[in-house]
Amino acid sequence: MKPALTLLLASLLVGAMSCSAPWVSPPGGDSVEIELWRGQIVELDRDRGYMVVRSRERFLDYVFQITPETEITSQVQVSSSLEPGQWVTVEYRKDRSEHGPPAALRVVVIR
């Protein structure tokens, strides 16, 4: 029983350290994931290059950087320019190595 408990505690410790230590996963490796966020634009600042999108399902606001590389499209017959109040799907790269809000790769205006 004692060796099993020691092995369990050691594996938990190694797992916890690997989650919190950035040097365990190489940069550009598995730390980058493409994620989707759906919600309504509640704040948009083109001058500073960011927007805040509120998710109805998650009850959270999320901030995204809007860069010149961000692709903006529309699924409906509305303008593909971004405006507060629009419902959008944001595709972004979740990268643990970068500081600040994630950059939106693609924004699709839903309505």
Side-chain angles (χ1 to χ4, degrees):
M1 180 71 180
K2 207 173 200 180
L5 184 61
T6 304
L7 181 63
L8 176 65
L9 290 174
S11 64
L12 287 174
L13 181 62
V14 169
M17 287 176 53
S18 68
C19 289
S20 62
W23 59 84
V24 173
S25 64
D30 295 335
S31 64
V32 177
E33 302 170 16
I34 301 295
E35 298 282 331
L36 289 177
W37 186 267
R38 291 186 178 98
Q40 185 177 26
I41 299 174
V42 292
E43 187 176 340
L44 178 66
D45 190 336
R46 288 185 182 89
D47 296 332
R48 292 185 181 169
Y50 76 90
M51 71 175 175
V52 179
V53 179
R54 179 168 294 150
S55 172
R56 183 176 8 179
E57 296 88 24
R58 298 178 185 165
F59 302 110
L60 294 172
D61 292 353
Y62 209 85
V63 178
F64 298 99
Q65 292 180 19
I66 303 298
T67 66
E69 291 82 30
T70 302
E71 177 186 343
I72 301 170
T73 60
S74 177
Q75 285 184 342
V76 292
Q77 301 297 328
V78 296
S79 171
S80 61
S81 67
L82 298 177
E83 299 296 330
Q86 289 177 325
W87 289 87
V88 295
T89 299
V90 181
E91 186 176 301
Y92 64 99
R93 191 177 315 261
K94 189 173 184 178
D95 189 354
R96 293 181 285 188
S97 65
E98 292 182 11
H99 299 288
L105 300 173
R106 183 173 178 217
V107 180
V108 179
V109 178
I110 300 170
R111 55 185 161 138

